[in-house]
Structures are given as structure tokens and as C-alpha cells.
Amino acid sequence: MVRTTAIYVTAVLALVVVFLAVVVLTGGAGRGWAAWTVTATVGTAIAGLLAARHRRRSAVHMLIQTSLACALTASACVPTVSTSWQYPPDLPGVSSERWTLATGSRVAVYHYAPPAGVEHHGMPLLYLNGGPVRSIALIDHTFLRRLAGDGFDVYAYEQAGGGRSDPLPMRDYTIDRSVHDLMAVLEHIPGRRADVIGFSSGAVILTRALADAASTVFIHRAVIVEPGPMDGPTAHAAGWTGSATAAGIAPPPGGSRSVSMPRYAIAFGLQRLGLLSPQDQMVGQAEAVNAFRAADLGSDTANSYCAKDAQRIPVEDSAVNFSFNPAASLRIQDTIAQSPSITPQLRVSEVPAMLVMAQCSHQLRQWATAILASDPAIARTQYITGVGHHIWNGLDDNNDRAASVITAFLDDEPAPLPNYPTAADVPTFLGEHR
């Protein structure tokens, strides 16, 4: 009996492997139904061969095994969420505007004006969030309101395909398009010039914009916060991260996960492994956005906080506001990894810039120090201790500390922290974090 069960299980698993292999080979054609059809055909053909050889009992067993495998794999072909594009509802207290850009993108823009009676800073401030291609989290909106309360005229936008912005065809999601969209947004800002804060992947977009000589027309000052890799050579570089994060010790996030469903576990898993392209047909762009949940980013969220904060990680977003476009995100990251070095262009940048780094960052230190070594216009570096990748997180006085380093730089005032590391400090700094 045990041997018979093992044979059944082995046969079913073999057919599931056939299904996965054909999904990869066909790019998930027909939402996976092409692979399902091949799986059913292979199992049925084997049963027919067994019957032709007068092994009727084995043929019946094979048909049963094929039916089981087809039932299992069919669950990977049926969407469980809407396959049409859906926008999150407007946030309470601030509604997004839609700006149609010269690039053809249509993006959701938020505006936080300084309150009455507060002295205005002279230059508008634009925020570029991370992701890439996700909605701006509520925890970020809170920080942007804080900056507005300090007198900054704050704008922010969600990148095309993220949050309340319109999607693009999958082939159009590239890092170059992201940079062009940034420049086009700046053309809509009053005065067509602004200070820009770029966080995480938003910092990558900002860095690459600084490598364009035209950026000096639109960007007054740049704040590069916790950047990812800026180009292909940086993306492929080995390196070290910062102090210990909360990853692996924080409680698992609450809420459902898309990968609890076979369809999305297979599609997103194969994409992460590089076996399915973001442009493939297994799960469409809209369906992927609708399926993906904040809990799917649980390990990434924990990685954004220090180990000491593992038991008190704040809720960064709400279920109705959260939106992440996994296929578009992977596509943009791929175009960064495939891009040539931007160091020669960055070396002639003239936009005054500041680099901000966190102590408990899971980002490779070499990603930030590569920018520091390449951009001579970086006027100061602020290394903030006791915080993780998501520096303004609402814990303790972290928002105040983040605001103080940003405000001091944008107002050209003395830095609240030592200017460290400088370009000359990089070898020592990296040695300390090996």
C-alpha cells in the first residue's frame, strides 16, 4: 500500500513538473492553460500507451494520476482576483491630481502646501518614493505633511503603473522612462524647478537624473536617501550591508498573502527566479497588482528596521492604499542591471546633492558609496544611527532627525550630524561594515 501511494505521488509530481517546465517554455501562454493542456495530453498519452500494451490496470491508474495532476495545476490557471485595472480610493484629507506628462505617462500627484502663517521655503520640494512602482505609503504621506508643516511646498507622485497612476505597456517600464517621467513632472512644478528627495529606488531615479546635464535646469538640490544600485556595474557588485535588521526576528506581518494561492506562488516565484519574464502571459499586469498584498513584502519591511525595533515595527500602510506592481518593478530593476556605467556622466554633475545613509540598512553599502565616489557635487553625507532603511518611520524622534538633516541641507545651513563618510572615508567606512 505504501509503495502504491509512493508511485501515485511520484507520478502526480512528475506531471506537475511537466506543467511548470511548459509554463516556463511557453511564457505562461494563455494564463497557463497551454501548459495545462500539454500536461493533460502527456498523461493521457502515457495511459493510452499502457492500454495498448494490455496493461489496463496501469492505464487506469495513470488516468487517475493525470486527473489529480490536472486538478492541481488547473488551480494555477484560474485568476482569483479581478484582471482589470483598479485604482486605490483617494486618501482622506488629500486627493490626487492626474498629470499627463510629455512622455505620455499619466501620473497621480499629491500636493501638501505649507499651512497658513508658516514661512515658506523658497523652492518647491518633490518627493520620489521607493518600490519601484508602488503606491506612496501612508507613513511617507505623514512625513511629507511634516515637511509641509515646516514650510515646504511639497509635491509627490506615484510612478506610472503604481498606486493611482495609469499603467504602461510592460515593455515601457524602464529606468530611462522613469528618469524622463521625473523630468516631465518637474516641468509641471511651479517655476519648473524644485529640490528633489529620492528614497530607495526613487534615489536611483534621482541619481540617474543627475547624470543628465539637463537636470541642472530642473533640479535645484538633490537629497539621495538610501539608494539602490545606480547602474549595471553597481548592481552586479559584491558588498556588505549595515547593522543587523529586524529580518528573521520580527513577527510575521498580518493579513493575507498572494503566494498562498498556487497561481500567484508559481507566477511570482518563477519571475523572482528569472524563469518567467515580467512580460510573459501567466499573470497580467492588472491581475498581479490586484493580487499582491503588503504581507508579501513582509521580509522586505522587516529589513527596513533595526533589530532593536523588531517587536514594534509600525504599520506602514493600509490595505486600501497599498498597491505594488511586481512585474513592472522587476522589469525596471532588470533594465538597471543591464545598463552601462553612468559614472562618466555623474562625474560632471553640477547639482548640489546630499547622501543620507541609515545604520541598519539592508542596502549594500557599495551602492551608496559608488554614488559618493562618482558625484563630485555631493556636498555632504549624513549617516543616521539607530534607524533602518525606512528612516522616517514614526518611531521615537526618527521623523524629527530625518527632517532636520533634510531641512539643514536644503536651507544651506550647518549639518546637524558630522559629514561622514566623505569620499576619502569610503575605504575605512566599508572596512567598518565588512
Side-chain angles (χ1 to χ4, degrees):
M1 178 66 180
V2 173
R3 184 168 178 269
T4 302
T5 301
I7 292 173
Y8 261 76
V9 170
T10 301
V12 171
L13 289 177
L15 287 171
V16 170
V17 169
V18 169
F19 171 78
L20 293 175
V22 179
V23 164
V24 172
L25 291 173
T26 62
R31 294 182 175 171
W33 285 114
W36 185 90
T37 302
V38 171
T39 303
T41 302
V42 168
T44 303
I46 293 173
L49 288 173
L50 291 171
R53 295 181 180 182
H54 305 290
R55 298 173 63 180
R56 299 187 184 280
R57 186 174 179 181
S58 295
V60 170
H61 287 174
M62 190 65 212
L63 284 174
I64 294 172
Q65 293 155 2
T66 299
S67 298
L68 289 172
C70 286
L72 285 172
T73 53
S75 65
C77 303
V78 180
T80 60
V81 297
S82 172
T83 58
S84 61
W85 194 263
Q86 298 176 334
Y87 299 95
D90 275 339
L91 294 172
V94 59
S95 59
S96 59
E97 302 176 19
R98 293 303 205 300
W99 288 2
T100 300
L101 307 179
T103 59
S105 299
R106 192 165 181 262
V107 298
V109 181
Y110 307 86
H111 181 210
Y112 294 105
V118 174
E119 183 180 355
H120 289 211
H121 290 260
M123 189 67 59
L125 178 60
L126 177 66
Y127 174 64
L128 267 171
N129 68 310
V133 201
R134 70 178 285 181
S135 55
I136 299 175
L138 295 182
I139 201 169
D140 290 342
H141 280 288
T142 298
F143 185 64
L144 297 180
R145 288 189 182 97
R146 158 64 196 271
L147 293 176
D150 289 342
F152 289 99
D153 193 22
V154 180
Y155 291 83
Y157 73 96
E158 287 165 326
Q159 297 157 39
R164 295 161 185 82
S165 293
D166 287 3
L168 300 173
M170 191 58 64
R171 66 179 179 276
D172 290 348
Y173 290 109
T174 66
I175 188 59
D176 288 341
R177 176 60 172 265
S178 299
V179 172
H180 295 154
D181 280 354
L182 166 60
M183 298 296 202
V185 167
L186 287 166
E187 289 183 334
H188 283 255
I189 298 287
R192 301 183 67 197
R193 202 158 190 244
D195 294 324
V196 182
I197 301 173
F199 168 64
S200 194
S201 62
V204 176
I205 297 171
L206 176 55
T207 300
R208 293 181 70 97
L210 295 178
D212 184 338
S215 64
T216 56
V217 176
F218 301 105
I219 303 175
H220 177 247
R221 285 182 172 242
V223 180
I224 302 167
V225 183
E226 280 287 289
M230 65 180 181
D231 53 24
T234 313
H236 293 102
W240 309 277
T241 58
S243 301
T245 72
I249 57 176
S256 62
R257 294 166 58 101
S258 68
V259 292
S260 64
M261 302 296 296
R263 174 168 176 77
Y264 307 113
I266 289 171
F268 296 153
L270 291 176
Q271 284 185 3
R272 292 285 293 182
L273 292 171
L275 298 175
L276 265 187
S277 164
Q279 300 183 72
D280 284 334
Q281 305 169 52
M282 183 71 180
V283 175
Q285 183 180 174
E287 183 189 350
V289 173
N290 295 336
F292 211 86
R293 299 286 184 267
D296 291 313
L297 293 175
S299 60
D300 287 349
T301 300
N303 249 330
S304 295
Y305 291 83
C306 293
K308 66 181 179 63
D309 297 324
Q311 303 305 315
R312 58 172 194 155
I313 293 176
V315 176
E316 295 191 343
D317 213 348
S318 67
V320 295
N321 183 66
F322 176 82
S323 171
F324 182 68
N325 193 327
S329 182
L330 285 174
R331 165 81 177 148
I332 290 175
Q333 292 176 65
D334 285 347
T335 63
I336 294 172
Q338 295 165 11
S339 68
S341 171
I342 64 168
T343 295
Q345 294 89 344
L346 201 54
R347 288 200 188 283
V348 297
S349 175
E350 297 179 354
V351 177
M354 175 176 69
L355 177 66
V356 181
M357 302 172 65
Q359 179 184 359
C360 308
S361 178
H362 65 287
Q363 307 283 78
L364 295 189
R365 296 300 187 188
Q366 282 77 358
W367 294 346
T369 57
I371 298 172
L372 183 60
S374 302
D375 186 354
I378 292 181
R380 67 176 69 166
T381 303
Q382 299 284 270
Y383 177 69
I384 306 181
T385 59
V387 296
H389 179 62
H390 210 149
I391 295 173
W392 42 83
N393 52 40
L395 297 176
D396 304 326
D397 62 346
N398 293 340
N399 283 18
D400 292 338
R401 293 199 292 156
S404 69
V405 300
I406 291 171
T407 300
F409 174 70
L410 296 182
D411 287 346
D412 200 20
E413 295 177 348
L417 298 174
N419 182 28
Y420 178 81
T422 65
D425 296 323
V426 167
T428 302
F429 178 78
L430 291 179
E432 291 173 350
H433 295 85
R434 182 185 293 269

